[in-house]
Amino acid sequence: MAAAVPLGLLVLLLLGPVDWGHAEPPRDSLREELVITPLPSGDVAATFQFRTRWDSELQREGVSHYRLFPKALGQLISKYSLRELHLSFTQGFWRTRYWGPPFLQAPSDTDHYFLRYAVLPREVVCTENLTPWKKLLPCSSKAGLSVLLKADRLFHTSYHSQAVHIRPVCRNARCTSISWELRQTLSVVFDAFITGQGKKDWSLFRMFSRTLTEPCPLASESRVYVDITSCNQDNETLEVNPPPTTTYQDIILGTQKTYAVYDLLDTALINNSRNFNLQLKWKRPPENEAPPMPFLHAQRYVSGYGLQKGELSTLLYNTHPYRAFPVLLLDTVPWYLRLYVHTLTITSKGKENKPSYIHYEPAQDRRQPHLLEMLIQLPANSVTKVSIQFERALLKWTEYTPDPNHGFYVSPSVLSALVPSVVAAKPVDWEGSPLFNTLFPVSDGSSYFLRLYTEPLLVNLPTPDFSMPYNVICLTCTVVAVCYGSFYNLLTRTFHIEEPRTGGLAKRLANLIRRARGVPPL
């Protein structure tokens, strides 16, 4: 008689030998990063980045188990053969003139056949987009840098932008295999005088109403960077507390930058109270100097009078003293603004500036907007004006928004350029460098790629008087009520003939008095 085999032993026999000492390393990784930058205007910019990388070809492999990469996005890539996705929600306008070049930029997709570009200048219905964005993070908002993402603090800022970027990344030089990279970015600009009660000093608790308690246990890297470039240039006018253990120097947007580095994975950084509150104080009040002028910035506005015709104008500023460079200008204009392409004019320093490349796709009513793309050479130390006239169309009454008198928004212009660099830059180590350093592609050491967005425009269209239907309804109801009420009363009322009565006691008394006075009776 055979002996009974224990259940646990039977499972091991069926599965085969197991090597407990050599487990397969995970194929995905998470890096999180926070960069704090004091801006020239005195405000403070905070940029969060959460990068999830997965060594898996989702479009070829049948993936059913997800560890760090969001399952909803992975299924989207597999089902629709997605190549790249860049989605951002922004409230406010990045003021390049006063804050410098923007910190976060979206890379381009050069395959125009598969490119789909869309922009919504304004959400008519108010929605809260931060909560579903945080749910895509492996640690959600429970640990790590995402603990600082408090909605009531982030939405009461001068500028707020959150984005999701998905793209394939080559694993080797020949790109025989790829990995999928998900970057979740969030940028905010705090008004230092409001959050700091009239002072430029700031801290994590003052900005976010929270402090860092622990790193995300699933993250392989969790760091905080603070821009202390002005501290080194102004003879130690800034004081960062606690003092950084290491610093990082590199060329960012053509300028030499120095950052204080705080590694949250270092157990000595967070004290016994499990509380890390980074602070920056000015040893002496900073001087009110004009902020440095960026080499490239733009401005857009609409001109004209009346509700029939108008003009769209874009001003492109090249403040470099001796170098000219080209700029790629992309405009998408709604169909209800009918552009007159023959009125397109480009002038620089009072002279005509002919674009070296121009592409135009006319709009189709209620189907697609105008698309205008131009490559313009900006002379050194100049202002280039691009203007085009348009005519306003009359919409159907069902196509107006709930608040038509507020106006209709026109999406901003997009500027892409290789801007000259003040300091020669080095090639970027994509894995060894901080995440924010990989946002600035460099073709050579003399220039860097920059993408800017102008402000959206608010245009008024011919709007009918939507109060007239209300007035007509009120008047019609009143007329119907009066006429129908009178006619109904005539049809339903009953008439009776009443016989005259002889009168009552009062009448008899009155006649007695009248007789006594010699007056005829009633």
Side-chain angles (χ1 to χ4, degrees), residues 74 118 130 158 172 200 260 269 296 303 314 351 388-389 395 410 414 477 518 522:
L130 182 62
S158 302
N172 49 42
K200 291 189 176 182
L269 181 62
L296 176 64
S303 58
T314 306
K351 300 180 181 179
I388 186 171
Q389 297 180 8
L395 303 180
V410 180
V414 185
C477 292
L522 296 175

Side-chain angles (χ1 to χ4, degrees), residues 255-303:
T255 308
Q256 181 74 32
K257 294 288 187 179
T258 304
Y259 293 90
V261 184
Y262 299 89
D263 190 357
L264 296 184
L265 297 180
D266 185 4
T267 56
L269 181 62
I270 300 178
N271 53 24
N272 297 329
S273 61
R274 300 176 62 87
N275 181 11
F276 176 64
N277 185 23
L278 184 62
Q279 300 178 3
L280 184 142
K281 296 182 180 180
W282 293 84
K283 292 183 179 180
R284 64 172 183 266
E287 300 177 359
N288 293 326
E289 299 179 355
M293 185 77 67
F295 286 156
L296 176 64
H297 63 280
Q299 182 183 1
R300 197 181 190 202
Y301 60 91
V302 60
S303 58

Side-chain angles (χ1 to χ4, degrees), residues 51 76 142 180 196 248 270 283 287 298 313 333 336 363 372 378 382-383 431-432 441:
R51 193 201 74 167
L76 183 67
K142 308 299 182 182
W180 283 97
Y248 174 78
I270 300 178
K283 292 183 179 180
E287 300 177 359
S313 300
V333 183
Y336 45 77
L372 180 61
L378 302 184
S382 66
V383 179
E431 290 300 323

Side-chain angles (χ1 to χ4, degrees), residues 150-166:
K150 192 177 180 181
D152 59 342
R153 301 295 295 178
L154 297 180
F155 292 148
H156 290 82
T157 55
S158 302
Y159 175 82
H160 168 267
S161 177
Q162 63 188 62
V164 174
H165 306 281
I166 303 176

Side-chain angles (χ1 to χ4, degrees), residues 330-384:
L330 175 65
D331 266 335
T332 53
V333 183
W335 64 268
Y336 45 77
L337 298 183
R338 310 190 187 280
L339 298 181
Y340 295 149
V341 185
H342 69 280
T343 63
L344 176 64
T345 57
I346 306 174
T347 57
S348 300
K349 295 184 176 181
K351 300 180 181 179
E352 183 182 2
N353 188 345
K354 293 185 178 180
S356 55
Y357 164 80
I358 185 170
H359 173 72
Y360 173 70
E361 293 184 10
Q364 299 181 16
D365 288 358
R366 299 172 180 84
R367 295 187 61 183
Q368 72 177 28
H370 302 270
L371 177 64
L372 180 61
E373 189 175 20
M374 297 175 290
L375 184 62
I376 307 172
Q377 185 75 12
L378 302 184
N381 196 17
S382 66
V383 179
T384 301

Side-chain angles (χ1 to χ4, degrees), residues 70 125 138 156 180 206 236-237 243 307 370 405 411 414 497 514 516:
V125 181
H156 290 82
W180 283 97
R206 183 173 293 176
E236 302 294 336
T237 58
L307 294 177
H370 302 270
N405 292 314
S411 59
V414 185
I497 299 177
R514 293 174 68 87

Side-chain angles (χ1 to χ4, degrees), residues 194-248:
I194 295 178
T195 58
Q197 298 178 355
K199 300 180 181 180
K200 291 189 176 182
D201 301 340
W202 56 263
S203 65
L204 291 181
F205 184 79
R206 183 173 293 176
M207 291 189 298
F208 301 101
S209 295
R210 291 178 180 175
T211 57
L212 295 174
T213 56
E214 60 179 344
C216 175
L218 299 176
S220 60
E221 181 179 304
S222 181
R223 295 180 180 178
V224 178
Y225 294 85
V226 181
D227 188 355
I228 57 174
T229 306
S230 57
C231 175
N232 297 335
Q233 295 177 352
D234 297 341
N235 298 324
E236 302 294 336
T237 58
L238 290 177
E239 179 183 357
V240 183
N241 186 28
T245 56
T246 59
T247 58
Y248 174 78

